[in-house]
Amino acid sequence: YMGIFIIEKMMDKLQSPKERKQEDDDDESSEEGKNDVKKDSSIVSQKTWWDRSFSKMEAGSMRGAIFNLISATLGSGLLTLPYIAKTSGLGTAIILLAFGFFSTYWGLYMLMKSAEATGCRRYQGVCELVGGKNVGISYQVSIYFQQFGYVLGCQVIGGELIYYTLIGFGMSEGHFLFTNPFYREAIKMFIPAIFIIFPLARLPNPDSMKYASLYGIVAIIYTMVVVIAQQLVLLGPIEPNDEIIWFKIDRSFFQIFGIVLFAYWCQAVFHPIYNELKEPNTPRVTTVISRGLGSVCAMYILTTVCGYLTYRSSTLPLITNCPGINEVFSVLINIGRLCVFLKVVTNITLGCFPIKRAVFDSLFGHKSSFEEPLNSVVTLCILIPSTILGAVCPSVIAVLSILGGFLGVFIGYILPTYLFVRTFKDQTRQWVPKFAIIFCLVVSVGGVMSLITVIFTFIYPDFLGGTQSHLQKFRLSATQNSRPQH
């Protein structure tokens, strides 16, 4: 409460009379907009349920916006969710996923209201209008770090997937390429970066990857269906007498908290979806947010429950790296690994474009073309550090915890809360800004603790009670179980 009092006094000092007059004008315009919303809702209500659900998806429609939000949110973080249930219990995992849904909904809601009040539909533009140039610069810098971290996370996930894909195709874990640490990291990180990622990341036009998001959704949903189908066929654990852990709170709780925040990472791409929506008033946008995030949350919970109930104590950090329950599912899972690996490669390619765009714009002006050989040099400057960091810190859980707990909290919760409180401090009820600040503090503390837990685990490997050595046993058993039985 002391912090809330200080922030309120600071904002009273910072707010100018011109801003107060602008807020009064916004209140009058919002009253006029309510009548338009009522007219729009009456037109929509005349359509049948079949027309609203299965008619042609037009540009700017709500269904298109919902699909774009699902596509932006649903990603490789889904593969790590069953491991959350294994680490902290199934009940804890479901509660965390529900909390992730609510927190992301609240963050997007604050971004939407800030965009409506300022009349600006760009995240950076809202930051500059509300907080000044320094806040806009901080957002821009955080976006660069976010894109680099996203490339790093995708490379680590891709390395794990290609490693287990080769094992699934028949290579033994005792092969000299896997027993030698240098060769193993070369296969996981350097060879894909040199021969697959770098040639694609050099592409000068992102339009060449325009179907990547649709392919990524198909790959993730295919993997999710295989995981769910295994539990429907097995109706129990793969190992007999393997009990379910419902609730377990220990030091690893904060580490998985960061993973949940990473799984719902979509705030940076919300404004383009908001801009494409026809008549983006509050009821339509909130419907898009609730239905899009609700669908993602349902898919997350289904995958978590079915994946954990199948493997339980032998669940690996990536559910696709677990062995199939029989030979048929072993083949299906290996196909899923390959599909998700290709999705991750396309995500890395798309993640390099914003960084390269910023570099070329700063050097040659706005909308400059990617000229060679500078294009290749900039691409190498992005991929070389991320590849080296991925080889040094190959833990998927650690990388995703850092990304979600640090960058995800700043872009998804701290900045939206700052913009919302600054914009609506005097227009809304007094408890709304206070609730926003308290909620932001809770999420921020969880993100900081996630970062601290990862750092301590990296320095002291036994900080989480020997999880790493225990994980190696499961990797070995998973590899043995994935070989065909004759």
Side-chain angles (χ1 to χ4, degrees):
Y1 284 102
M2 183 71 71
I4 295 171
F5 176 77
I6 293 173
I7 291 174
E8 287 181 344
K9 291 300 181 184
M10 289 174 61
M11 288 189 293
D12 285 337
K13 300 283 186 182
L14 293 173
Q15 194 175 33
S16 63
K18 183 178 179 181
E19 290 176 336
R20 295 180 183 275
K21 184 178 183 302
Q22 181 65 33
E23 290 176 355
D24 296 337
D25 295 339
D26 292 338
D27 289 338
E28 295 178 0
S29 61
S30 62
E31 292 295 332
E32 297 176 357
K34 290 180 180 179
N35 299 325
D36 297 335
V37 172
K38 292 179 180 179
K39 294 179 181 179
D40 297 337
S41 60
S42 62
I43 296 174
V44 172
S45 62
Q46 295 176 1
K47 295 183 179 180
T48 63
W49 173 84
W50 181 269
D51 292 335
R52 292 197 302 269
S53 302
F54 299 103
S55 60
K56 183 179 178 181
M57 190 180 298
E58 300 177 354
S61 63
M62 289 183 62
R63 283 181 298 148
I66 292 171
F67 177 81
N68 289 333
L69 183 59
I70 294 174
S71 176
T73 310
L74 190 65
S76 304
L78 175 139
L79 305 179
T80 63
L81 297 181
Y83 182 76
I84 294 177
K86 179 249 180 180
T87 305
S88 294
L90 184 59
T92 308
I94 294 175
I95 293 174
L96 281 175
L97 291 173
F99 175 81
F101 163 78
F102 173 76
S103 60
T104 308
Y105 178 92
W106 178 245
L108 296 182
Y109 177 83
M110 290 189 293
L111 289 177
M112 174 199 67
K113 299 301 291 184
S114 301
E116 286 183 351
T118 58
C120 182
R121 296 185 180 182
R122 292 188 307 112
Y123 201 153
Q124 184 176 355
V126 177
C127 292
E128 293 175 351
L129 287 175
V130 176
K133 186 177 181 180
N134 291 333
V135 178
I137 293 175
S138 65
Y139 165 77
Q140 194 171 11
V141 172
S142 65
I143 283 294
Y144 297 154
F145 279 104
Q146 179 199 28
Q147 293 301 124
F148 179 79
Y150 187 68
V151 171
L152 171 61
C154 288
Q155 282 192 269
V156 174
I157 293 175
E160 288 288 311
L161 290 171
I162 198 65
Y163 174 74
Y164 281 94
T165 301
L166 293 175
I167 293 176
F169 280 125
M171 290 188 68
S172 172
E173 196 175 16
H175 196 278
F176 77 95
L177 293 176
F178 294 153
T179 55
N180 188 304
F182 176 79
Y183 292 145
R184 184 173 62 249
E185 295 305 321
I187 291 175
K188 291 171 59 176
M189 300 299 299
F190 293 101
I191 292 179
I194 295 172
F195 295 102
I196 301 176
I197 298 173
F198 176 68
L200 291 176
R202 288 178 62 251
L203 294 174
N205 190 356
D207 291 339
S208 56
M209 309 290 292
K210 59 184 178 182
Y211 297 110
S213 60
L214 179 61
Y215 167 76
I217 287 289
V218 172
I220 291 294
I221 291 180
Y222 167 82
T223 306
M224 181 187 70
V225 170
V226 172
V227 171
I228 295 173
Q230 280 196 131
Q231 180 54 215
L232 294 178
V233 172
L234 194 61
L235 294 178
I238 194 171
E239 295 289 340
N241 302 322
D242 200 351
E243 297 182 355
I244 301 175
I245 299 176
W246 288 99
F247 297 98
K248 177 185 173 185
I249 305 298
D250 55 12
R251 294 174 179 176
S252 62
F253 173 81
F254 291 104
Q255 191 176 31
I256 64 175
F257 182 80
I259 298 175
V260 172
L261 297 181
F262 176 83
Y264 285 98
W265 202 354
C266 64
Q267 293 85 353
V269 297
F270 170 71
H271 286 84
I273 299 174
Y274 178 77
N275 293 334
E276 293 178 0
L277 184 64
K278 289 182 179 179
E279 301 172 2
N281 48 57
T282 299
R284 287 173 63 85
V285 178
T286 52
T287 301
V288 169
I289 297 174
S290 60
R291 292 182 183 180
L293 294 180
S295 302
V296 172
C297 182
M299 288 186 277
Y300 280 171
I301 292 177
L302 271 176
T303 306
T304 302
V305 171
C306 293
Y308 174 70
L309 291 180
T310 302
Y311 298 102
R312 299 191 185 180
S313 63
S314 56
T315 305
L316 294 178
L318 293 181
I319 192 63
T320 51
N321 294 345
C322 297
I325 61 175
N326 52 41
E327 293 186 6
V328 174
F329 277 103
S330 295
V331 174
L332 294 177
I333 287 179
N334 211 40
I335 294 174
R337 291 172 191 154
L338 187 59
C339 292
V340 176
F341 171 75
L342 296 176
K343 173 201 178 300
V344 166
V345 170
T346 57
N347 287 348
I348 295 172
T349 304
L350 295 174
C352 292
F353 279 116
I355 304 177
K356 293 197 298 181
R357 179 78 276 159
V359 172
F360 274 84
D361 287 350
S362 61
L363 293 177
F364 305 107
H366 187 57
K367 293 184 178 181
S368 57
S369 59
F370 294 160
E371 299 290 343
E372 294 291 349
L374 187 58
N375 180 30
S376 299
V377 173
V378 174
T379 305
L380 285 174
C381 291
I382 300 171
L383 294 180
I384 290 176
S386 63
T387 305
I388 294 175
L389 288 174
V392 173
C393 182
S395 173
V396 176
I397 301 301
V399 172
L400 300 190
S401 297
I402 293 175
L403 294 177
F406 180 59
L407 295 174
V409 168
F410 181 76
I411 298 176
Y413 303 98
I414 294 179
L415 268 183
T417 301
Y418 172 79
L419 299 176
F420 180 79
V421 173
R422 283 273 291 156
T423 306
F424 293 98
K425 181 175 65 69
D426 296 331
Q427 297 183 29
T428 56
R429 299 175 182 176
Q430 289 297 319
W431 64 269
V432 177
K434 293 180 181 179
F435 170 79
I437 294 173
I438 293 173
F439 188 81
C440 177
L441 290 176
V442 171
V443 178
S444 300
V445 169
V448 171
M449 292 301 298
S450 176
L451 183 63
I452 293 174
T453 304
V454 172
I455 294 174
F456 268 82
T457 306
F458 189 76
I459 298 174
Y460 305 105
D462 295 332
F463 180 72
L464 297 181
T467 304
Q468 284 74 17
S469 60
H470 197 43
L471 180 59
Q472 295 298 328
K473 296 178 182 179
F474 289 139
R475 282 185 173 178
L476 181 59
S477 63
T479 305
Q480 293 173 349
N481 293 334
S482 63
R483 296 170 185 165
Q485 301 294 326
H486 297 286

